[in-house]
Amino acid sequence: MRAAVRRRVRPTVRVRLTLLFTVGTVLVLVLAGSLFYLLLRANLRDSVDSELRTRADVLTARLDDRFATGGAGTNGAGTGGSGSAGTDGGGGGEQVPGGGPGDGAAQAGGLLA
């Protein structure tokens, strides 16, 4: 009876190899997933930062053009014409290069009002 108590049950080679490969597979998957996550996060952050900088530069250029032409405070008054000044949605009647009504130039002017 005493010999049975002292005897230790040792896992078979098959069980030990299965556990070893399972641990190895888990480690590889965790490392690959972590690397993928970190690279994706950095890439997305750089992409969003770049897009925001581009939009800010475009908005700044449009606002600089708008203030340089004196259209910021006039709102189309005193420009002459048939009284249709300011109906293009741009506020000042001036046209921004590459822009038109509803393309964001009017919204940019609304930020300052």
Side-chain angles (χ1 to χ4, degrees), residues 22-97:
T22 301
V23 169
T25 302
V26 167
L27 286 175
V28 167
L29 287 175
V30 166
L31 288 173
S34 297
L35 181 65
F36 177 75
Y37 170 76
L38 292 173
L39 290 174
L40 182 65
R41 182 179 70 173
N43 191 11
L44 285 174
R45 183 180 297 153
D46 291 344
S47 176
V48 169
D49 285 347
S50 175
E51 180 66 26
L52 287 175
R53 280 190 199 103
T54 302
R55 288 183 181 192
D57 290 343
V58 168
L59 183 61
T60 301
R62 286 184 178 177
L63 289 175
D64 286 345
D65 289 346
R66 184 181 190 108
F67 287 123
T69 59
T74 61
N75 234 0
T79 58
S82 61
S84 63
T87 59
D88 64 346
E94 73 278 354
Q95 289 294 321
V96 177

